[in-house]
Amino acid sequence: MNKNAGISTLKGIGEKTEKLFLKLGVATVDDLLHYYPRTYEIFGPPVPVSEVQEGHICTVSGAVFGRIQVSGTKNMQVTTLYLKDLTGTLKVIWFRMPFLRNTLGRSGPVILRGRVVRKRDGLVMEHPQIYDPAARYNEKLHSMQPVYGLTAGLTNNAIIKAVRQALESNSIPEDFLPEELETAYDFPPYEAALYEMHFPHFKETFIEARRRFVFEEFLTFVLSLRYVKESGERMKNHFTMKQQPAIDTFLQSLPYELTAAQMRVWNEILKEMTGDYVMSRLVQGDVGSGKTIVAFLGLLLSGLNGYQGALMAPTEVLARQHYEKISGMLEHYGLPLKAELLTGSMTAKQKREAYVRIESGSSSIIIGTHALIQEKVNYRNLALVITDEQHRFGVRQREQLAGKGLTPHILVMSATPIPRTLGIILYGDLDISVINELPMNRLPIKNCVVDTGYRPKAYAFIRQQTELGRQCYVICPMVEESENLDAENVTDYSQMLQEILGPSIRVGYLHGKMKEKDEIMTAFGRNEIQVLVSTTVVEVGIDVPNATVIMIENAERFGLAQLHQLRGRVGRGKYQSYCIFMTASRSKETKERLEILNHSNDGFYIANEDLRLRGPGDLFGIRQSGVLDFKIADVFQDAALLQEANAAAERLLLEDPDLSQEQHRKLKDHLQKKLKDLMLETTL
């Protein structure tokens, strides 16, 4: 079977299943082989009911005690049973599985495996896997079972069957890693490593296989950046710009002074935009460091020189917030420029009218989402594009914009604190500016790390803050067994919290699969929702200065950098803000990690500490929320491998700059394909 054959060539995958795989980005057998598990279940012996721990996936064995009950609404039926062993009784619930009442526990003991959470009536195991009869569990005991990212309608077992078939079909792709590197780093052979990634024999063999593929991912990325930088380096600046006195007047009129760091970065941008070559710059600044005002100065410089500037945001809600803020400043300070909003949800008529104003040049500052680079948008003279790190532009995307005019300046804004040593490698195609001071008027966030016994006090504090007119977030982590349980986890929690807080406080919920995400975020922004229970989907794309509390459940399940990003949802206004890290873990390592956040609001310090503390023990948890879309690599956990891959790339290019030698041919072919896939088309 050809590795590039469509996924439907595998037995059992018809048209309907093929469409589900396409939703996961899996179109070919090759895609499937590189669709790695997002985590692994390690099947240990069952534990006594008295030893189950909140926040952990546990396996218990026992008998069904009493009657199995089904309650709830037609759309959300909850099946409840009690499992009893010699040490105690555990409440267990399933969502939308009423048939279990007639099938479970009729033939003796059962084994259940699932996450244990705390409800008001004590510890509860939610939606566990069932091993009935119990002997079925022995087949998996001491094994590592893959858990894949899913989409509605596609089960983990369906993916496992498809992957096994692909691995056994002689369609393993060619190994592109040069033999010299495979030997130098003592990597396992390609085919064996691929099998271990999906179906590990042992934890040690999995770690070695993962090490190989992380190195490959980093090597491909670093080489891609090198070629991209060379292809676009020192492009001539076609926009004649001069310093504008109106910007100095604007800065003097502001009710606050820019920090020294903001002024330093603004001067770097000003120098490049008025210089001889096109700017490609990353502005890295901690949450709340004032990157937006620096971006606005760049847009002003373009507009006041007679050109256009575009600001691309990751969500419509944030695009609208930027538009309202920028429009307000232009009007308030009497600046002679017009802002334009362009998003996908606008009506056809609204878009047509916006296109006319953009093409005529009457709108100087254009703010929006990906709609900004679509075919129908024609700019009069686009000189600057500012993007969020979620929208890193590739060469082809830059060409799309260049096709609408000349090659614009590019400014990438990043709130993710990355140690400088890694930043230089990761952003190899961009110059880096760092805003490392917070504005004087920002009150530092007050933090506390607490165990689950503090929860009633936390709820009382949330009620107190809402009574003062403030708003709060509660973050629930992803449910690991199935992506489809995100919704139940968040909706169930929000219903429970609504009952506790009472009808005078409106509790809303948000998760990644909701179609009405923007409507919920907008309602929260308007204080129509006082408490928002959410997954990490709020990590980017929402700015609510009135929000003063964020409580993060199971904080031990996130990387420090992601926790810091989540904490950045509060402390954005004039009110004192608070972050409550709730953890069920009693381990010394967890306490040490969370104490770093407890005692510091400095994202760059936290990033370095995260880098120091994270290790192989984190391989099976939720992946660190990354700046870049790596399949398995993590820039914090795998920092040493990133640096090794960077050094290997330098050696390769020194020896063979065009990768034209025979032993590098497969690597070159792989890179060319990758560059195309990443929208970074260029010639090697």
Side-chain angles (χ1 to χ4, degrees), residues 8-22:
S8 60
T9 56
L10 294 172
K11 200 186 336 184
I13 297 182
E15 189 179 342
K16 185 181 173 185
T17 310
E18 182 184 21
K19 285 179 181 172
L20 294 175
F21 271 105
L22 284 172

Side-chain angles (χ1 to χ4, degrees), residues 506-521:
R506 187 180 169 198
V507 178
Y509 63 88
L510 186 66
H511 57 81
K513 292 168 194 65
M514 293 172 72
K515 289 179 181 173
E516 59 273 50
K517 286 197 290 286
D518 282 350
E519 289 89 332
I520 297 292
M521 286 202 245

Side-chain angles (χ1 to χ4, degrees), residues 135-184:
R136 284 181 51 218
Y137 187 76
N138 291 333
E139 298 166 15
K140 292 190 172 182
L141 192 60
H142 302 304
S143 68
M144 284 173 63
Q145 297 293 319
V147 179
Y148 295 91
L150 304 176
T151 187
L154 193 63
T155 65
N156 199 56
N157 278 339
I159 297 179
I160 286 173
K161 283 181 184 175
V163 172
R164 282 196 186 280
Q165 198 183 148
L167 284 167
E168 291 162 8
S169 65
N170 296 318
S171 56
I172 304 295
E174 279 191 299
D175 180 7
F176 66 82
L177 196 67
E179 194 177 326
E180 66 208 72
L181 292 180
E182 194 173 281
T183 304

Side-chain angles (χ1 to χ4, degrees), residues 61-134:
S61 174
V64 176
F65 179 67
R67 291 178 58 206
I68 300 175
Q69 298 178 324
V70 177
S71 59
T73 64
K74 186 179 178 183
N75 292 330
M76 178 57 91
Q77 288 179 305
V78 180
T79 304
T80 305
L81 72 71
Y82 289 88
L83 189 83
K84 187 175 179 66
D85 71 3
L86 293 174
T87 68
T89 306
L90 179 66
K91 182 179 178 181
V92 184
I93 61 173
W94 288 268
F95 305 104
R96 300 193 185 104
M97 295 178 74
F99 56 85
L100 291 176
R101 179 167 52 186
N102 304 317
T103 61
L104 196 58
R106 300 289 180 227
S107 56
V110 296
I111 289 182
L112 303 178
R113 178 179 172 81
R115 181 167 295 283
V116 176
V117 299
R118 184 172 294 280
K119 304 279 186 181
R120 275 185 297 170
D121 53 352
L123 293 178
V124 178
M125 181 176 279
E126 282 192 332
H127 215 83
Q129 294 168 287
I130 303 164
Y131 298 89
D132 182 15

Side-chain angles (χ1 to χ4, degrees), residues 281-355:
R281 182 165 289 277
L282 167 75
V283 173
Q284 199 181 7
D286 210 347
V287 175
S289 62
K291 296 181 297 298
T292 308
I293 190 72
V294 173
F296 179 59
L297 294 176
L299 294 168
L300 277 185
L301 184 67
S302 287
L304 293 170
N305 274 286
Y307 301 111
Q308 290 171 306
L311 172 61
M312 194 160 88
T315 66
E316 290 205 6
V317 173
L318 197 56
R320 195 170 295 280
Q321 287 180 335
H322 281 318
Y323 170 73
E324 287 167 1
K325 197 176 285 185
I326 285 172
S327 296
M329 283 198 290
L330 291 174
E331 187 178 341
H332 181 76
Y333 292 101
L335 294 159
L337 301 175
K338 185 181 185 323
E340 188 74 56
L341 180 67
L342 187 59
T343 65
S345 67
M346 287 165 59
T347 65
K349 184 185 177 188
Q350 287 172 325
K351 285 179 187 172
R352 279 197 305 273
E353 290 171 351
Y355 295 153

